[in-house]
Amino acid sequence: MNYENYIYQQPIDPVRQAILLAMTQSMEQEKEMIRELQGMGIKCVATMASGFNSDISPKLVNNLVGACLNANVIEKKKAHIHPVVHALHEAMDTARVTREISQNCRLKVGVVRYEDQISICIYGDLAIHELSAHKTVGVGYQILGE
C-alpha cells in the first residue's frame, strides 16, 4: 500500500493524518510528512515523551502544548489550549497511558490541525517492566474555539 495515498486523500481527515504522523519511524520520515502536510495548508507537529506513569501525564501535557505553540499549530488562548488538552486526554485514555500497565512509557505524539479540527495521536511502548513492552495507540479529536 502506498503511504502517500493516505496523505493526499480528500477530504482531509486530521485523525488519519495524526495517526500516520505519530507512526513515522524516523526523524527524516517525520520531517518529510510534516513538509507534505504543511504544503497542503495543514498545521502539524510531533513530539515525544518517556518516563513512568507517575510523571508521564504532566510531561505529555507540557511537551504537547509547548510543541503546538512553538509550531504555531495553536494560539496561546483558552479556546485552543483547552480542547488540545482534552484531545490529549482522550488519546492518553485510549492508549492506556494512565493505567497500571503504563508504568514505563516511550511515546511519540502526532498533532494535526485542519481548519478548526485538531487531532492528537499517541503511539509507542508501554510496559510494567521495560523489557516487557508492547505497542499501544490512542487518538483524540476536538474542535478549536475562536
Side-chain angles (χ1 to χ4, degrees):
M1 184 174 292
N2 190 344
Y3 160 79
E4 292 162 352
N5 290 338
Y6 286 99
I7 293 178
Y8 299 111
Q9 203 168 42
Q10 297 292 330
I12 292 172
D13 180 356
V15 174
R16 179 186 308 270
Q17 305 303 340
I19 292 167
L20 291 170
L21 181 57
M23 295 181 76
T24 54
Q25 297 178 327
S26 67
M27 287 299 293
E28 295 79 25
Q29 195 178 49
E30 175 186 307
K31 288 177 183 178
E32 179 184 344
M33 184 169 180
I34 287 173
R35 275 192 306 273
E36 293 285 335
L37 291 172
Q38 288 174 337
M40 298 167 60
I42 298 169
K43 296 180 179 187
C44 56
V45 70
T47 189
M48 295 194 70
S50 61
F52 294 96
N53 64 349
S54 59
D55 63 345
I56 197 68
S57 290
K59 273 186 184 180
L60 277 168
V61 171
N62 289 334
N63 286 5
L64 183 76
V65 170
C68 286
L69 289 170
N70 290 336
N72 295 314
V73 172
I74 61 170
E75 296 173 35
K76 191 174 185 178
K77 59 185 183 179
K78 183 179 179 178
H80 284 195
I81 303 287
H82 190 82
V84 163
V85 173
H86 271 283
L88 174 60
H89 279 280
E90 288 174 11
M92 289 169 59
D93 188 42
T94 56
R96 299 180 313 261
V97 171
T98 56
R99 299 189 190 147
E100 296 79 25
I101 192 76
S102 66
Q103 289 184 7
N104 187 330
C105 306
R106 186 178 64 221
L107 307 166
K108 183 170 183 178
V109 184
V111 181
V112 173
R113 175 183 174 185
Y114 180 64
E115 298 173 346
D116 64 347
Q117 303 171 72
I118 194 153
S119 184
I120 297 169
C121 179
I122 296 173
Y123 175 76
D125 299 306
L126 299 178
I128 292 174
H129 184 275
E130 62 190 45
L131 297 178
S132 68
H134 61 86
K135 296 293 182 190
T136 190
V137 65
V139 68
Y141 172 86
Q142 290 286 313
I143 301 293
L144 297 175
E146 298 277 326

